[in-house]
Amino acid sequence: MATQVKMENVDRISNLPDSILGYILSFLSTKEAVATSILSSKWRYLFALVSNLIGRKVLFFHNTVNINAFRLRCGKRVDSDRVYGWISAAIWRGVKHLGLSISLDNFTLPGVLFTCTTLITLKLETNLVLNVPKDVCLPNLKILHLKSIMFPNDDSVESLVSSCISLVELIICNCSTKKCNISHNSLKVLEIIRSVLYGSLVIDTPALAYFNYTYSVAREYSLKNLQSLIRADIAFLDIRFDSHQTKATAFFEGISNVNILVLSSTSLKLLKCCEPLPIFPKLLHLNLYCDYHNFERGVANLLTDSGRLQSLSFYQEALTNLPERVPQCILYQLKVIEISGFMTNKDCIGKAK
């Protein structure tokens, strides 16, 4: 007869290694994880092993803990010295993913932030003037998001970007700078959104695969070595077209190797100002977000010179202004036509056919 063994009351969870217990606590909120500290002396400081922290005082509870991710959002009522200390503490703990949204007047970021070797992701949103130190070095940073920042010096953006030798994604949103020089060998994603460029925009990124540009026309463009570009989303804001022919030509010639091109109505207007009209020899997919008034002129030439075009997308209203002569690429190469907002209008149906 089998021997029955009476099991004693054993706290098997508490006997697990601290690393496993910390991993279990990582699925709880910070408040819930801290609450486990009252269970026993064993659990008193286990919550500090949680590598993803969204909080403040928890940074100072345990001196040996590394932090995987730290996000901080604070308004003007928070003491700036405390914010400085929280950021510094996260960096000292080897933080890898750092997100800061700070609305403090005259706040200065800790200098150690710009020489942090553990950072992989940095998302920075402040209404501050950012003076980039000369010794800036972020060797492992791969993702950099900058929002609502003013760069006072001509070389600020260039110094910051060039110091991130592993960078693959850069987003600049609502920032202002005199000059924006982005030269990088490994950058794959670049977005410049509603940022004020008082001077020139220089882009030299041979590995760039995606480019999003939403802004008015800069004073000067130099876009080169974009042979790897797969997709470009271009949305110029309201502009005066009569004085931008040279700038427009330089801009669109710089992205002419793109495979997928998305243009706003204003962008198509600007493209038609180019002299000569750029040729897009590798263009496979064209998406036009424009009204019918801006569709006809120049579109025929654009389509004719895009001999490899496979798909075309536009709004239904543009059907009334399609070119009379069907470009060769539509007859022989085009595989997909997508018409948005299509309605049962006889003229439009006839044009579509």
Side-chain angles (χ1 to χ4, degrees):
M1 185 174 68
T3 302
Q4 293 184 350
V5 180
K6 184 178 180 179
M7 299 298 295
E8 298 179 359
N9 293 327
V10 178
D11 185 358
R12 296 184 179 277
I13 294 181
S14 295
N15 289 331
L16 292 172
D18 287 354
S19 59
I20 296 179
L21 293 175
Y23 179 72
I24 293 173
L25 292 180
S26 69
F27 292 95
L28 303 178
S29 66
T30 301
K31 183 177 180 180
E32 291 170 334
V34 172
T36 63
S37 62
I38 65 173
L39 294 177
S40 68
S41 58
K42 163 78 173 180
W43 289 81
R44 186 174 182 181
Y45 294 112
L46 280 176
F47 73 90
L49 295 174
V50 179
S51 59
N52 296 287
L53 295 176
I54 306 174
R56 303 171 179 176
K57 295 181 181 179
V58 74
L59 285 169
F60 302 99
F61 284 161
H62 203 283
N63 292 328
T64 61
V65 178
N66 288 329
I67 296 175
N68 181 57
F70 179 68
R71 297 194 299 272
L72 176 65
R73 179 183 295 272
C74 61
K76 295 184 177 181
R77 295 184 179 182
V78 182
D79 182 73
S80 60
D81 290 337
R82 290 187 176 184
V83 175
Y84 190 98
W86 296 332
I87 299 172
S88 299
I91 295 171
W92 292 332
R93 304 293 176 79
V95 65
K96 294 180 180 179
H97 307 281
L98 181 62
L100 302 175
S101 179
I102 303 172
S103 300
L104 295 174
D105 295 329
N106 302 318
F107 180 74
T108 302
L109 292 167
V112 292
L113 171 63
F114 298 97
T115 55
C116 182
T117 59
T118 60
L119 271 180
I120 297 175
T121 302
L122 176 60
K123 298 181 180 181
L124 185 60
E125 179 181 357
T126 66
N127 294 310
L128 301 174
V129 176
L130 183 61
N131 291 294
V132 180
K134 292 183 180 180
D135 62 343
V136 58
C137 183
L138 301 166
N140 294 306
L141 193 69
K142 294 184 177 181
I143 299 175
L144 177 61
H145 294 185
L146 304 170
K147 185 176 182 181
S148 303
I149 296 174
M150 178 181 291
F151 295 96
N153 302 318
D154 288 354
D155 60 349
S156 293
V157 175
E158 182 179 7
S159 298
L160 182 58
V161 172
S162 61
S163 72
C164 309
I165 58 176
S166 302
L167 196 65
V168 295
E169 178 178 307
L170 173 62
I171 297 179
I172 302 175
C173 180
N174 292 331
C175 296
S176 61
T177 180
K178 295 180 180 179
K179 183 179 180 181
C180 189
N181 189 335
I182 301 171
S183 299
H184 205 285
N185 290 328
S186 62
L187 191 67
K188 295 183 178 180
V189 176
L190 174 61
E191 298 188 41
I192 301 176
I193 304 170
R194 296 185 179 274
S195 294
V196 180
L197 306 178
Y198 295 106
S200 61
L201 173 62
V202 178
I203 300 176
D204 185 352
T205 50
L208 193 68
Y210 175 69
F211 180 41
N212 179 7
Y213 186 83
T214 303
Y215 182 59
S216 56
V217 179
R219 290 187 178 181
E220 184 180 357
Y221 290 106
S222 176
L223 281 65
K224 56 185 179 180
N225 292 327
L226 301 183
Q227 60 268 18
S228 300
L229 192 61
I230 295 175
R231 173 167 176 153
D233 288 45
I234 310 300
F236 282 97
L237 306 182
D238 292 337
I239 52 178
R240 289 168 41 201
F241 300 98
D242 53 354
S243 60
H244 293 314
Q245 183 182 87
T246 301
K247 302 173 187 178
T249 303
F251 181 90
F252 284 107
E253 283 183 349
I255 64 170
S256 60
N257 283 320
V258 69
N259 298 142
I260 304 171
L261 181 60
V262 181
L263 296 176
S264 67
S265 180
T266 310
S267 301
L268 183 58
K269 282 184 182 180
L270 193 63
L271 176 60
K272 293 184 293 185
C273 293
C274 296
E275 184 61 42
L277 189 70
I279 296 176
F280 297 85
K282 299 181 180 179
L283 189 62
L284 301 176
H285 309 280
L286 178 62
N287 196 334
L288 301 173
Y289 288 99
C290 59
D291 55 66
Y292 67 93
H293 294 293
N294 299 317
F295 195 85
E296 182 178 15
R297 184 183 175 186
V299 172
N301 291 335
L302 176 61
L303 296 177
T304 300
D305 292 333
S306 304
R308 299 177 60 188
L309 192 67
Q310 296 180 4
S311 72
L312 174 65
S313 177
F314 53 85
Y315 284 120
Q316 174 261 336
E317 290 86 348
L319 284 170
T320 58
N321 264 32
L322 279 177
E324 293 297 329
R325 183 179 177 183
V326 180
Q328 293 295 316
C329 69
I330 293 182
L331 289 176
Y332 301 111
Q333 299 294 333
L334 203 64
K335 298 178 180 179
V336 177
I337 296 179
E338 180 180 351
I339 305 174
S340 302
F342 193 80
M343 296 181 294
T344 56
N345 180 292
K346 291 184 177 180
D347 292 336
C348 292
I349 292 176
K351 280 279 189 177
K353 291 182 177 179

